[in-house]
Amino acid sequence: MLFNKKRVLSTLLIVFFYSITIQAKSIEDFNFNWKFSLEKQQAAHQYSFDDSTWQPITLPHDWAVALPYTNENAAASTGFKAGGIGWYRKKFNLPKSDKNKKIWIEFDGIYNNSAIWLNGHYIGGRPYGYSSFQVDLSQYANYGDKTNVITVKVDRTAYADSRWYTGSGIYRNVRLVKTEPVYIPQWGIQVTTPDVSSKTAKVNINTQIIAQKYQGEKAKLKIELFDQEGKKVAQNKESFDLSHENKITQTLTVKKPHLWSLETPHLYTAKATIYVDGDKTESDTTTFGIRTIKFDSNKGFFLNGVNTKIKGVNLHHDGGAVGTAVHKSIWYSRLTKLKSVGVNALRLSHNPHNPGLLELADEMGFLVNAEAFDDWDRAKTKNKISMGDNKASGTSVVSYNIHFNQWAERDLKDMIRRDFNHPSIFMWSIGNEIEWTYTYYPKAASYAEDGTDYYTEAADFNPERIRKKLKEHNPDKIDNLPIVAKMLSDFVKEVDTTRPVTAGLVQPSVGFASGYTDTLDLVGFNYRAPSYEAAHKMYPNKVIYGSENWGAWREWRDVKDKDYVAGIFIWTGFAYKGEGGPLPRMGLEISLFDYIGNKTPRGHFFETIWVDKPKTYLGTTPAKISEFSYTNDKGWLFKKRKAPANVWQELRRWEWFDIYEMWKYQTNENIVVQSYTNTESAELFLNGKSLGRKQLKDFDDQIIKWMVPYKAGELKVIGYNSGKAVTQSTLNTHGKLASIKLNTEKQYLTADQYDTTYVHATLLDKNGNLLSDAEMDIKFTVEGYAKIAAIDNGWENNIQDVLTDHVITHKGKAAILLQAQDKASQVKVYATINGIKSKPILINVKK
């Protein structure tokens, strides 16, 4: 027998390789045991720095939430004291067995201008506060008994740099990842479904593999696909020779696929396993959905071949009182509420959002317009209103535009790589209202000089006329906007050709003429619904939709019967921080739900037009302040009142008109009673006496109205279909506070220090009627292993401390966000006002 040196050496290598690479990728929660300081530091990045006096915290962390509102050095236009330089430090150990591994930390988001050190060595950072990224620890890590120190510096010197509330600090999750020397990098698996039918679906898996060792060795990549119940539905193996960077494409077939849809959002899991010389070295997984999307310039949007209207909302990335440190359970609460009123799509304004939100969109069945930027190479004004003598300027308003040329490609492509496998995402947006930063764009629009109201009338889409104006008003002569747009669109398509590229245009008539829209597959119209018809007539081959719309009936009316308009995205789904002012207005409640999830009148209205289940809603307004008026000769008229002088004058275009869920006024005072309904007719009763049944079709604004002299008692509306009563709503005159009612959105929590639920309090009289005008100091008490993460009353003028246990109610309501701790227990919550104590509500916290 011949002695084979090569075979013996190979065998020895295999034994050695097996001994160090049998473990799969390790992903560890890295959110705990951090320390934080907002004070000026000289050498906080150095290994031996003394941080013993720093504040212990758990991530995610938004330091701006704890700071008081102020008129000095405040972010945006609304008094958020978000500026300064924040420091984070954490000590941790790595076992000696990790020494041959690749180790990195993943940050889902740091706002902003972050710089990161490990053991005194700079290892990375990111200027864009919305990007997810990683930093490599391997080069400077300590192993065994010697401790590691990671330091993160967050520079928020430019405190008014973005629209609108950004948060400050490490406001999203952080993970520690350990892999073997042959590994799949972050976002290294991409899944596409190019060929889908009810019988079969082809699934393409593109896997990136990095080999720091064993280059030239034989390797295999095994892909297994599992359905939502964990059943294996397909698998494939591919052999290859290892090089430093490997990209392997495999095609698998799934028989009788479960399609991802809005109603049945079925998810599959792809598991990738690497073998080197027969030994398992690394495995990684990703979820995906099998579905088809198609846009047609005449018929709109199709999901799995089914024509589907987009009933969307815009969302900012803050979560109300918690700021931008928004746990996944909070997003679950919000998305559940949005689903209940018929919302089927989300536009993530105007930046990459929390990965947890996208996971929920996949799981719950929402379409997602994922947006990258609000600024490109030119900055927008971040202050609409001067707050007293304060107006941010200079270094305070330095924005992302100074980083754009260097970082835009990486930030955009990283967003797409991170979110590539989410079936919910059906378009990539490269920007929002960029035309405002190119001042000759609004000047070139027809209404800029001829008096046309660009919000209520169609613009002139004649390209020759617009191009002539562009030349007149553009001092640079070369229009850089389409050039940058083309660059960004190309960046998208270098990573993903399966989804269309879009943007939210505030001057679409100019964008069509300038060539801006030539760089886009879909054209989003921001507040330009009157221009849909003119745009489609001039450019019939271009897909259009409403990317940002007022939450008003006319906006949906202008879409629902136009097949060529794919749908709309209302501004906004939930109330958000940061746009508004001056204090005490710290944000805008122009949404379907307020900050704590109470359904607003606008939310009730859209539920009646987006949900088929019969519904009535009842609201009232004193005639002397109502924007509705009635005369016998002209009938019902509507004239939106002017905004007060101290409020942004345009705000009344976004605000809902005044309406109250209340029946308590001066005797015989004329009250405009309104019912939102999707029933054929509605009948109003006051103390059992009918005040008339009216047909919905007789009201062009979809709001049935009565003028009623006030009398105390019961006001009730009944909705009818085919003459049969199918739904009703009631308002009663309320008395004094007699009880506090608590309810929780969840009956149990997981003891993971993350899980949350809102506990809502409503103030009631002795008959159980809501005290809808009550503003009273309510205190919450929590017993057991849970804490109050935030407290709020849902009002945009609430600038009380949110990190306490009491708050002044608004319209008789308030809520706490209850957060589980790390031990199982029964948690008791009760509330008190002036000696009146609620019945306790019990919530089980489970391991």
Side-chain angles (χ1 to χ4, degrees):
M1 183 177 180
L2 296 175
F3 183 73
N4 190 326
K5 292 184 179 180
K6 184 175 181 180
R7 178 167 294 180
V8 172
L9 179 60
S10 177
T11 302
L12 290 172
L13 285 173
I14 290 171
V15 172
F16 174 71
F17 184 76
Y18 183 86
S19 69
I20 66 168
T21 61
I22 193 168
Q23 297 183 23
K25 178 180 289 183
S26 166
I27 302 175
E28 302 175 15
D29 187 334
F30 211 59
N31 286 335
F32 296 96
N33 302 315
W34 288 80
K35 289 189 172 183
F36 171 72
S37 175
L38 192 54
E39 297 179 358
K40 291 183 179 180
Q41 308 291 342
Q42 296 298 321
H45 66 285
Q46 294 182 0
Y47 182 85
S48 58
F49 181 84
D50 181 8
D51 58 17
S52 59
T53 61
W54 286 20
Q55 175 190 356
I57 61 152
T58 297
L59 303 179
H61 177 248
D62 175 2
W63 82 59
V65 167
L67 301 177
Y69 292 90
T70 177
N71 283 338
E72 297 179 359
N73 300 327
S77 53
T78 52
F80 288 102
K81 190 173 182 180
I85 296 178
W87 290 89
Y88 295 84
R89 281 169 61 91
K90 175 171 175 163
K91 298 176 181 178
F92 64 102
N93 287 85
L94 297 171
K96 290 181 179 180
S97 57
D98 286 346
K99 194 166 186 179
N100 292 310
K101 295 182 179 181
K102 178 76 170 179
I103 303 175
W104 67 79
I105 293 179
E106 297 176 354
F107 293 93
D108 283 344
I110 304 175
Y111 207 91
N112 63 344
N113 298 312
S114 59
I116 303 166
W117 292 264
L118 179 68
N119 300 328
H121 300 278
Y122 178 79
I123 57 172
R126 199 69 162 237
Y128 196 35
Y130 303 110
S131 282
S132 297
F133 65 99
Q134 69 171 50
V135 290
D136 188 3
L137 307 188
S138 304
Q139 184 177 358
Y140 300 111
N142 297 322
Y143 302 92
D145 295 335
K146 189 170 184 181
T147 299
N148 293 281
V149 179
I150 187 166
T151 307
V152 180
K153 177 185 178 184
V154 182
D155 187 345
R156 284 302 323 275
T157 304
Y159 57 81
D161 64 324
S162 185
R163 303 189 316 166
W164 292 104
Y165 181 80
T166 65
S168 298
I170 309 177
Y171 67 101
R172 291 181 185 163
N173 289 321
V174 181
R175 293 170 297 279
L176 178 67
V177 181
K178 304 174 184 178
T179 75
E180 301 302 331
V182 180
Y183 64 93
I184 299 170
Q186 186 182 25
W187 317 321
I189 305 174
Q190 292 186 343
V191 184
T192 58
T193 56
D195 188 2
V196 177
S197 71
S198 60
K199 294 182 179 180
T200 62
K202 286 186 177 180
V203 180
N204 286 346
I205 311 288
N206 296 303
T207 308
Q208 184 182 4
I209 299 171
I210 305 296
Q212 292 188 317
K213 294 183 179 181
Y214 315 112
Q215 295 168 22
E217 296 288 331
K218 297 292 184 182
K220 284 185 179 181
L221 177 63
K222 180 181 178 180
I223 298 292
E224 299 169 282
L225 303 185
F226 300 89
D227 66 13
Q228 200 155 273
E229 287 71 45
K231 178 184 176 182
K232 186 188 294 187
V233 296
Q235 72 174 31
N236 180 274
K237 283 186 179 180
E238 185 81 17
S239 298
F240 61 100
D241 293 330
L242 273 178
S243 58
H244 178 64
E245 292 189 14
N246 309 265
K247 293 184 179 180
I248 311 298
T249 300
Q250 293 159 278
T251 300
L252 297 86
T253 300
V254 176
K255 296 179 180 180
K256 295 182 179 180
H258 300 284
L259 301 187
W260 185 93
S261 69
L262 301 176
E263 298 77 23
T264 57
H266 191 97
L267 294 173
Y268 288 85
T269 298
K271 180 180 180 181
T273 305
I274 306 169
Y275 298 84
V276 178
D277 281 333
D279 295 316
K280 178 180 175 181
T281 66
E282 166 85 336
S283 64
D284 202 356
T285 62
T286 186
T287 56
F288 67 98
I290 298 175
R291 53 98 176 110
T292 65
I293 58 172
K294 177 185 175 183
F295 287 88
D296 183 274
S297 61
N298 293 309
K299 295 296 183 180
F301 172 65
F302 294 80
L303 178 62
N304 300 323
V306 178
N307 195 213
T308 304
K309 274 293 186 190
I310 300 166
K311 301 174 181 177
V313 295
N314 285 264
L315 287 178
H316 268 301
H317 78 146
D318 73 275
V322 298
T324 56
V326 189
H327 294 293
K328 189 174 179 179
S329 56
I330 299 173
W331 282 121
Y332 179 79
S333 170
R334 290 183 160 212
L335 295 191
T336 300
K337 294 175 189 298
L338 291 173
K339 197 87 170 177
S340 74
V341 298
V343 174
N344 66 14
L346 314 170
R347 179 180 180 228
L348 304 184
S349 312
H350 301 289
N351 46 262
H353 276 232
N354 193 322
L357 171 57
L358 289 164
E359 291 169 4
L360 288 171
D362 292 344
E363 296 163 8
M364 300 174 70
F366 286 92
L367 298 164
V368 172
N369 176 353
E371 195 157 72
F373 304 118
D374 193 39
D375 287 336
W376 288 352
D377 56 340
R378 303 186 184 192
K380 290 176 183 170
T381 301
K382 306 304 190 299
N383 283 42
K384 281 195 173 71
I385 304 166
S386 175
M387 302 194 58
D389 295 328
N390 176 63
K391 183 83 169 179
S393 61
T395 58
S396 300
V397 296
V398 173
S399 188
Y400 178 72
N401 68 293
I402 68 168
H403 303 292
F404 181 83
N405 290 333
Q406 179 182 354
W407 282 94
E409 178 177 6
R410 184 170 178 183
D411 287 326
L412 178 56
K413 287 183 176 180
D414 276 0
M415 179 187 82
I416 298 169
R417 291 188 183 104
R418 187 196 74 174
D419 300 335
F420 190 97
N421 295 334
H422 291 289
S424 55
I425 295 178
F426 73 141
M427 60 178 81
W428 300 114
S429 175
I430 58 174
N432 172 64
E433 297 184 358
I434 301 300
E435 305 99 303
W436 289 137
T437 66
Y438 289 77
T439 56
Y440 49 85
Y441 265 69
K443 292 177 181 177
S446 63
Y447 38 68
E449 295 176 359
D450 65 12
T452 302
D453 182 349
Y454 70 10
Y455 282 124
T456 59
E457 299 178 48
D460 175 14
F461 277 77
N462 183 286
E464 289 77 16
R465 179 178 175 182
I466 294 171
R467 288 173 190 141
K468 182 179 178 181
K469 284 185 159 187
L470 279 171
K471 290 181 180 179
E472 292 174 1
H473 294 288
N474 181 7
D476 300 329
K477 303 307 177 185
I478 297 176
D479 183 6
N480 203 46
L481 192 155
I483 297 172
V484 178
K486 176 65 165 58
M487 176 186 72
L488 295 176
S489 181
D490 288 345
F491 290 159
V492 173
K493 294 183 183 299
E494 287 172 17
V495 182
D496 184 14
T497 58
T498 69
R499 298 176 177 93
V501 178
T502 188
L505 276 65
V506 77
Q507 305 288 351
S509 61
V510 184
F512 274 106
S514 72
Y516 180 14
T517 61
D518 293 341
T519 71
L520 307 174
D521 303 306
L522 317 173
V523 183
F525 283 47
N526 281 20
Y527 309 108
R528 298 296 182 265
S531 290
Y532 293 150
E533 188 172 350
H536 184 64
K537 184 176 180 181
M538 182 65 68
Y539 302 98
N541 297 321
K542 205 70 176 180
V543 177
I544 63 176
Y545 70 99
S547 45
E548 198 165 308
N549 300 75
W550 287 295
W553 162 244
R554 67 178 185 273
E555 297 289 296
W556 182 245
R557 179 198 62 199
D558 287 342
V559 168
K560 71 182 185 70
D561 296 324
K562 293 182 174 67
D563 291 343
Y564 59 85
V565 182
I568 66 173
F569 291 91
I570 292 171
W571 191 265
T572 58
F574 264 78
Y576 61 101
K577 287 174 173 281
E579 183 176 17
L583 290 179
R585 178 173 246 159
M586 56 80 187
L588 292 182
E589 191 282 276
I590 51 176
S591 53
L592 304 185
F593 294 90
D594 70 14
Y595 294 93
I596 57 176
N598 293 318
K599 193 183 305 180
T600 65
R602 177 179 265 127
H604 285 284
F605 180 82
F606 269 87
E607 184 179 0
T608 66
I609 62 177
W610 280 356
V611 177
D612 292 334
K613 182 180 178 181
K615 174 185 172 68
T616 55
Y617 170 79
L618 191 57
T620 63
T621 315
K624 62 185 177 183
I625 66 169
S626 178
E627 290 155 285
F628 292 105
S629 61
Y630 180 82
T631 60
N632 289 329
D633 56 333
K634 294 183 179 180
W636 285 101
L637 300 174
F638 179 83
K639 185 177 181 180
K640 191 172 285 292
R641 65 177 172 82
K642 292 183 178 180
N646 66 334
V647 175
W648 176 27
Q649 293 294 322
E650 292 290 344
L651 189 56
R652 288 304 295 170
R653 295 186 184 274
W654 278 261
E655 287 184 323
W656 197 249
F657 48 83
D658 294 326
I659 185 171
Y660 308 99
E661 296 176 36
M662 182 171 70
W663 188 240
K664 188 175 184 180
Y665 298 101
Q666 296 295 318
T667 301
N668 293 323
E669 180 181 6
N670 279 337
I671 306 298
V672 179
V673 178
Q674 302 137 74
S675 177
Y676 310 157
T677 185
N678 52 14
T679 60
E680 295 168 355
S681 63
E683 185 173 10
L684 186 68
F685 295 84
L686 178 57
N687 296 324
K689 180 181 178 181
S690 176
L691 301 183
R693 186 185 300 191
K694 299 188 179 184
Q695 301 293 314
L696 180 62
K697 66 181 181 179
D698 294 333
F699 293 85
D700 291 340
D701 59 2
Q702 292 289 109
I703 302 173
I704 298 177
K705 294 172 281 291
W706 297 262
M707 187 70 78
V708 180
Y710 173 76
K711 289 182 176 58
E714 180 190 72
L715 189 70
K716 179 169 66 176
V717 65
I718 298 177
Y720 300 87
N721 282 333
S722 301
K724 181 181 178 180
V726 291
T727 183
Q728 69 177 38
S729 296
T730 304
L731 293 174
N732 287 281
T733 305
H734 64 261
K736 296 180 180 180
L737 176 66
S739 65
I740 306 166
K741 182 181 179 181
L742 299 183
N743 73 285
T744 175
E745 295 184 7
K746 292 160 68 173
Q747 297 301 319
Y748 70 89
L749 297 174
T750 302
D752 59 3
Q753 303 186 63
Y754 294 124
D755 202 8
T756 62
T757 184
Y758 285 98
V759 177
H760 296 268
T762 53
L763 311 189
L764 306 175
D765 68 8
K766 64 180 182 179
N767 296 316
N769 300 312
L770 171 68
L771 275 64
S772 54
D773 58 354
E775 296 183 356
M776 309 180 77
D777 194 354
I778 184 170
K779 181 179 180 180
F780 289 84
T781 300
V782 176
E783 297 175 357
Y785 288 105
K787 69 175 184 178
I788 299 174
I791 189 169
D792 198 4
N793 62 16
W795 192 27
E796 72 268 27
N797 287 341
N798 176 28
I799 58 172
Q800 302 169 77
D801 184 1
V802 298
L803 302 180
T804 182
D805 60 0
H806 65 98
V807 70
I808 303 298
T809 62
H810 179 60
K811 295 182 179 179
K813 298 179 180 180
I816 60 168
L817 184 68
L818 188 71
Q819 186 172 4
Q821 297 302 285
D822 60 350
K823 295 181 181 179
S825 72
Q826 186 176 73
V827 173
K828 180 188 294 186
V829 181
Y830 57 90
T832 55
I833 298 178
N834 296 333
I836 296 175
K837 184 177 179 180
S838 72
K839 292 182 180 179
I841 194 164
L842 302 178
I843 300 169
N844 289 318
V845 178
K846 302 178 180 181
K847 272 289 185 182

